[in-house]
Amino acid sequence: MANIGLIDIDSHSGFPNLALMKLSAWHKSQGDKVFLLKADDVLLGNSLFTHYDKIYGACVFDWNKNTALKLQTLGVIVHGTGIDLRYNLPTKIENIYPDYSLYDITDTAYGFLSRGCPRHCKFCIVGDKEGLKSYKVSDLKDFWRGQKNIIILDPNLLACTDHLDLLNQLANSKAWININQGFDARLLNDKNIQAINNLKVKMIHFAWDNYEDKVVPEKLRLFKEKTKFNKSKMRVYILTNFNTTIQQDLERIYTLRSMEYDPYIMIYDKQHAPKQIKRMQRWVNNIFIWRKCERFEDYDHKVG
C-alpha cells in the first residue's frame, strides 16, 4: 500500500479535474491511500514528500505553467494541457470510473463521450492534442451511475458519427445535462435538433467564434424554430480579442439579441485585452445589465 498525493494546480470555482479523479480511482483499486493536496503547501514544504510515495499534479491552463514547472523540480509528476499536449493517461486509467469522492461530489457525473474536433481553430488546442476527427471514446454508463446532473466535456459532440446515439443516451438518463463546451451550431440538422430537444437542460450553449461563419445565425434560427427552448435557456459564446474588431463583435452580439439568444463574451488573452473589450464583457455577461441596457454604446458612455 502506498500513499499517493494529487494536486489540482488549476483548482478554482469547485470544478474538479477528471484526470485526477481517475488516478485516484485506479490507485484506490490497488489498495493505495489517496490525498488531495494544495500546490502552495507542497511548494512551501508543508506537505513533506517523505509522507507520500508518489505525487501527481494536473495542469490544464498554461497560465499556471510556472507553478507546474516548480512542482516538477520537486519531483512531482505533472501533466496536462497547461504544460504539454503529448501525454495521455494509460488506457487502464483513462477507462476507469472516476473517484468523485476525491472532491466530495455526490450528485454530478463528469466525462467525455467523444474526443477530437475537425475544425482546427487557431485559438484551440483540441485538434493538436486529440486529432482532427471527432470519435466516440465511451458510453454514458462508463462515468454515470444515476447522478442527477451530468456535465459533458466533449469538444465537438455533434461532429462525432455516433452523436445521435450518445445524445439519446443522455436523454434516456433523465438527468440534467450540461454540454460544457457547447454545441457546434454549424452541424445542426433536423435529426440532431430533435435529439437535443429531448434533453433535460438548464441551458443550451452554442458558439459563434468566427465572425465569417455566417451559417451560424442561420442554424440558430432553425434551432429556435424547431425546439421548445426559450431565450432564458439559449446562450452563445462569442470569442473576442482574437481576430475581430469591436464592431464585428457588436454585430454578432446585436444579431443574437434580435434572435432572442443571450451572448456570452469569451476574451482571448484577457490579460492584454483592451479596456473596451473588458467593458463589453461586463455589459453582456451580467444578465441584469444585459437585459436593462440594450446598446453597448449607452453602457460604454456611462462607465467611461
Side-chain angles (χ1 to χ4, degrees):
M1 182 179 70
N3 288 330
I4 305 298
L6 301 177
I7 305 172
D8 185 345
I9 297 172
D10 308 292
S11 182
H12 68 292
S13 302
F15 201 90
N17 184 282
L18 183 58
L20 292 184
M21 290 193 290
K22 291 184 175 185
L23 277 168
S24 177
W26 187 82
H27 274 286
K28 286 182 177 179
S29 74
Q30 306 304 302
D32 299 332
K33 290 185 177 181
V34 177
F35 304 86
L36 189 60
L37 310 178
K38 294 181 178 180
D40 288 344
D41 288 341
V42 176
L43 290 172
L44 293 172
N46 296 332
S47 294
L48 299 177
F49 218 103
T50 54
H51 294 170
Y52 304 97
D53 297 282
K54 202 174 273 189
I55 300 180
Y56 300 93
C59 180
V60 176
F61 302 109
D62 57 9
W63 55 77
N64 289 321
K65 186 173 183 178
N66 287 339
T67 299
L69 293 173
K70 289 177 183 177
L71 289 169
Q72 279 188 330
T73 64
L74 297 177
V76 178
I77 302 168
V78 182
H79 290 293
T81 54
I83 192 168
D84 67 68
L85 300 180
R86 295 167 295 176
Y87 181 80
N88 293 302
L89 289 172
T91 301
K92 62 184 178 182
I93 300 177
E94 179 61 44
N95 294 335
I96 203 168
Y97 183 81
D99 175 20
Y100 295 113
S101 69
L102 182 69
Y103 290 91
D104 296 321
I105 295 170
T106 59
D107 62 355
T108 305
Y110 297 79
F112 289 88
L113 295 170
S114 66
R115 297 270 195 172
C117 178
R119 298 299 184 184
H120 210 204
C121 299
K122 293 180 180 179
F123 54 81
C124 180
I125 64 171
V126 170
D128 293 329
K129 179 172 175 57
E130 300 179 4
L132 298 178
K133 179 181 179 180
S134 180
Y135 52 95
K136 177 181 175 181
V137 294
S138 66
D139 288 299
L140 181 59
K141 63 180 176 59
D142 295 329
F143 56 87
W144 174 75
R145 294 179 182 171
Q147 293 93 331
K148 66 179 182 180
N149 301 294
I150 300 171
I151 296 181
I152 299 299
L153 307 174
D154 300 32
N156 196 335
L157 178 57
L158 296 188
C160 177
T161 55
D162 298 296
H163 74 270
L164 288 176
D165 172 58
L166 296 173
L167 287 170
N168 288 335
Q169 290 184 34
L170 292 170
N172 291 335
S173 74
K174 307 301 182 184
W176 287 101
I177 308 300
N178 178 348
I179 308 295
N180 183 259
Q181 299 301 311
F183 288 116
D184 188 340
R186 295 163 290 188
L187 299 176
L188 289 170
N189 56 48
D190 287 349
K191 287 186 177 180
N192 57 35
I193 287 176
Q194 183 55 53
I196 295 170
N197 198 36
N198 292 332
L199 299 180
K200 183 180 174 182
V201 299
K202 296 178 181 177
M203 184 72 69
I204 290 284
H205 294 94
F206 296 102
W208 190 359
D209 293 323
N210 297 303
Y211 171 79
E212 302 295 337
D213 284 332
K214 301 303 183 181
V215 70
V216 171
E218 295 175 15
K219 292 288 189 175
L220 291 178
R221 288 188 184 94
L222 177 67
F223 182 82
K224 189 171 184 294
E225 290 172 2
K226 293 181 173 291
T227 60
K228 62 187 178 183
F229 305 113
N230 59 37
K231 66 180 181 180
S232 67
K233 285 195 169 188
M234 299 187 297
R235 182 168 291 164
V236 182
Y237 297 128
I238 298 288
L239 180 68
T240 63
N241 199 46
F242 182 70
N243 62 356
T244 55
T245 65
I246 195 165
Q247 288 75 24
Q248 291 171 325
D249 298 335
L250 288 171
E251 181 181 334
R252 286 179 290 167
I253 289 167
Y254 291 143
T255 298
L256 291 171
R257 186 190 280 280
S258 71
M259 296 166 58
E260 296 191 318
Y261 281 87
D262 284 334
Y264 190 88
I265 300 298
M266 310 290 288
I267 300 179
Y268 184 83
D269 190 15
K270 187 172 184 178
Q271 182 180 354
H272 301 102
K275 289 183 179 179
Q276 195 176 28
I277 293 286
K278 296 177 181 178
R279 288 199 295 268
M280 185 171 67
Q281 183 186 53
R282 290 196 296 272
W283 167 60
V284 171
N285 293 3
N286 186 315
I287 197 66
F288 299 105
I289 299 175
W290 168 250
R291 294 275 188 259
K292 187 175 181 180
C293 182
E294 293 192 357
R295 306 288 296 180
F296 176 61
E297 292 81 358
D298 297 332
Y299 176 75
D300 197 36
H301 174 72
K302 290 179 181 179
V303 298

